[in-house]
Amino acid sequence: MKTLTKKLQLILALTAVCFFLSITVVTTNAYADEGDVRYVDSCDGTNYILHKGATPEENTATLVSPENGKYTHTYYNILEKVSYADVTYKVVEIGDNTFADCENLEGIYIQNGFLKRLGNNAFFKCTNLEKITLSSNKDIIFDYIGKKAFYGCKKLEEFAIYNCTLKAIGDQAFYSCSNLKRFHLCTTEKIDFGQCVFGCSPNVQFEMPGTPDQESYYTVCDGGLYSADMKTLYAYPSATGTVTIKDGVENIAPSALACCKDLKKIIFPKSVKSIGKYAFTPIPGNVKKYDFEFKGAKPNIDKYAFDRVTRIDITYDHNYIVSWYNSRANLGGAIIVNYKMI
C-alpha cells in the first residue's frame, strides 16, 4: 500500500506538469448532447465531454471512456477542471462504463470539489484496482455511486471519500469486492442503499466520519451498520453462519442481509417488527435455504423480502402460536416454508 501511495504522489506531480504542457484534441461525440464536444487530454489520454451552460458556473465536464478501446495506464488523477478555448469546465461526473474492464488500473486519486456522481459500471471489474481516494479542501456535493460501480474489483482494499454529501449507492456497487476492508462513510446523513451493495464482500468494515461527539444517522457495531438508535439494521456484509440480531432492533432494512453468501441461520429477537424488501435476497443464480428462529410474534414482512429464496425453515416460540398460525401462507414468492414450534 505504501508503494501505491508513492506512485499516486508521483502521478499527481506529473499531472501538474501536464496541465501546462497539454495540447487538446476535440472531436464530436455520438452520445453527447448537441453542441457538446469531446476533450482529450494529451498527457494521460483522459476523455471529457464538455457541456457549455447558460452561465460560466454551469459549464460542466464528464469524464468518459475513450472513443476506441479503454484506458491502459495504471494510475490516474482525475482533474477538478478542464479548459478549452478559454472556457473552464467543472468536472462533475465520472460517466457510465468509463473505466470498465481496465485490468491495468491500480489506483485513482480524485481531488475534486465539484464531483457529483460516479456512474453505473464506472470501475466495473477493474480487477487490479487497489485504492480510490476522493478528497478536497472543501465540501463535495457528491451524491451518487452508480450500480455495479466497483463490481468485481477484487483487489480494492479501501474506499474513502471525505467532506461529501453522499445520498445513494446503487445496486451491487461493491459486489464481489472480496478484499474490501475499509469503507469510509463521508456523510452523517441517511444514505439510500441499493440491492446487494456489499454482496460477497464479507470483510467490509465501516468507518464513521467526523469526531465521536458528532451526531450521525448511523452507528457501527460488530461489523453491522445500524441507525444511531440501534433500532434499524441497514447493512451487515460480514454476516456468515449463524447470526443473532441484536435485541432492540425493530427493523431489518431493505437489502440489509442480501447476498450474504455463507449466511445460514438468523435468530430474531422479540423486538423485530418489520423485514424490508429484498432483505434476504441471495446471490443471483444461487439456490438459497435459510433457517429462521423468531423469539417473538411474526413481524411485518415485505412480500419481496425473500425474493429468490427457495426454502425457509421457521422456528417460532409457542407463546406466539396465534400470530404465526394466522399468517403462515403470507410470505410471498414460490418458497417452500416449514414451521416448527418450540
Side-chain angles (χ1 to χ4, degrees):
M1 184 60 71
K2 290 182 179 179
T3 302
L4 179 60
T5 302
K6 289 180 179 179
K7 289 181 178 179
L8 285 171
Q9 291 172 346
L10 177 60
I11 202 71
L12 283 172
L14 291 174
T15 300
V17 174
C18 291
F19 179 80
F20 294 101
L21 299 180
S22 177
I23 300 174
T24 63
V25 177
V26 181
T27 66
T28 57
N29 179 61
Y31 52 84
D33 293 335
E34 185 177 354
D36 290 353
V37 293
R38 178 184 289 262
Y39 166 102
V40 181
D41 187 274
S42 63
C43 182
D44 62 6
T46 46
N47 285 227
Y48 297 85
I49 298 300
L50 309 180
H51 174 74
K52 196 169 184 179
T55 67
E57 287 298 313
E58 296 176 300
N59 295 338
T60 61
T62 299
L63 177 63
V64 296
S65 58
E67 284 191 295
N68 299 303
K70 55 188 177 182
Y71 291 116
T72 58
H73 293 183
T74 52
Y75 305 97
Y76 285 93
N77 176 45
I78 308 304
L79 300 174
E80 184 172 55
K81 299 177 181 179
V82 295
S83 296
Y84 167 67
D86 297 324
V87 178
T88 300
Y89 300 81
K90 299 174 183 178
V91 179
V92 298
E93 179 179 2
I94 297 178
D96 296 349
N97 306 298
T98 296
F99 290 97
D101 297 305
C102 291
E103 296 92 346
N104 294 333
L105 186 63
E106 295 181 18
I108 289 284
Y109 187 82
I110 307 172
Q111 190 169 13
N112 187 329
F114 304 117
L115 194 68
K116 295 182 179 181
R117 182 179 185 272
L118 293 181
N120 299 329
N121 306 302
F123 297 92
F124 181 86
K125 289 191 176 180
C126 290
T127 52
N128 286 303
L129 179 63
E130 295 181 19
K131 183 178 181 180
I132 180 165
T133 300
L134 196 157
S135 181
S136 177
N137 57 8
K138 52 184 174 290
D139 289 344
I140 302 170
I141 309 172
F142 179 79
D143 55 20
Y144 181 67
I145 298 175
K147 296 178 181 179
K148 298 186 178 181
F150 295 93
Y151 184 107
C153 294
K154 297 184 180 298
K155 288 189 178 181
L156 184 65
E157 295 181 2
E158 63 178 74
F159 183 85
I161 305 178
Y162 300 92
N163 306 322
C164 84
T165 56
L166 182 61
K167 296 178 181 178
I169 305 178
D171 296 349
Q172 301 181 32
F174 294 90
Y175 186 94
S176 196
C177 293
S178 54
N179 204 38
L180 184 62
K181 298 179 178 67
R182 175 178 175 243
F183 188 90
H184 181 84
L185 288 163
C186 64
T187 178
T188 57
E189 303 300 321
K190 185 179 180 181
I191 299 171
D192 182 12
F193 289 98
Q195 187 177 352
C196 291
V197 169
F198 299 101
C200 293
S201 304
N203 299 312
V204 177
Q205 295 295 317
F206 297 105
E207 181 180 283
M208 301 302 296
T211 58
D213 59 346
Q214 184 178 8
E215 289 188 11
S216 175
Y217 189 88
Y218 298 104
T219 190
V220 178
C221 183
D222 298 334
L225 186 67
Y226 297 83
S227 58
D229 59 8
M230 291 291 291
K231 290 185 178 181
T232 301
L233 174 61
Y234 282 99
Y236 198 170
S238 61
T240 59
T242 298
V243 168
T244 300
I245 304 299
K246 291 187 174 298
D247 191 28
V249 171
E250 297 181 0
N251 311 297
I252 309 299
S255 298
L257 288 138
C259 300
C260 292
K261 182 179 179 182
D262 297 317
L263 181 60
K264 295 180 173 61
K265 181 176 180 178
I266 304 93
I267 301 173
F268 298 88
K270 292 181 181 179
S271 57
V272 171
K273 299 178 180 179
S274 71
I275 299 177
K277 188 176 183 179
Y278 304 134
F280 292 94
T281 296
I283 298 168
N286 187 37
V287 176
K288 193 65 180 179
K289 171 185 174 296
Y290 285 118
D291 290 328
F292 288 160
E293 183 178 329
F294 288 89
K295 300 294 186 181
K298 179 181 177 291
N300 180 24
I301 301 174
D302 186 275
K303 66 178 182 178
Y304 296 109
F306 309 118
D307 186 48
R308 297 203 302 265
V309 174
T310 54
R311 173 171 171 159
I312 300 173
D313 290 338
I314 292 179
T315 302
Y316 61 92
D317 190 297
H318 70 279
N319 291 310
Y320 298 93
I321 185 172
V322 175
S323 167
W324 284 98
Y325 186 82
N326 289 341
S327 56
R328 282 189 168 198
N330 189 28
L331 288 180
I335 306 171
I336 298 174
V337 184
N338 295 315
Y339 292 87
K340 180 182 178 182
M341 184 177 65
I342 56 174

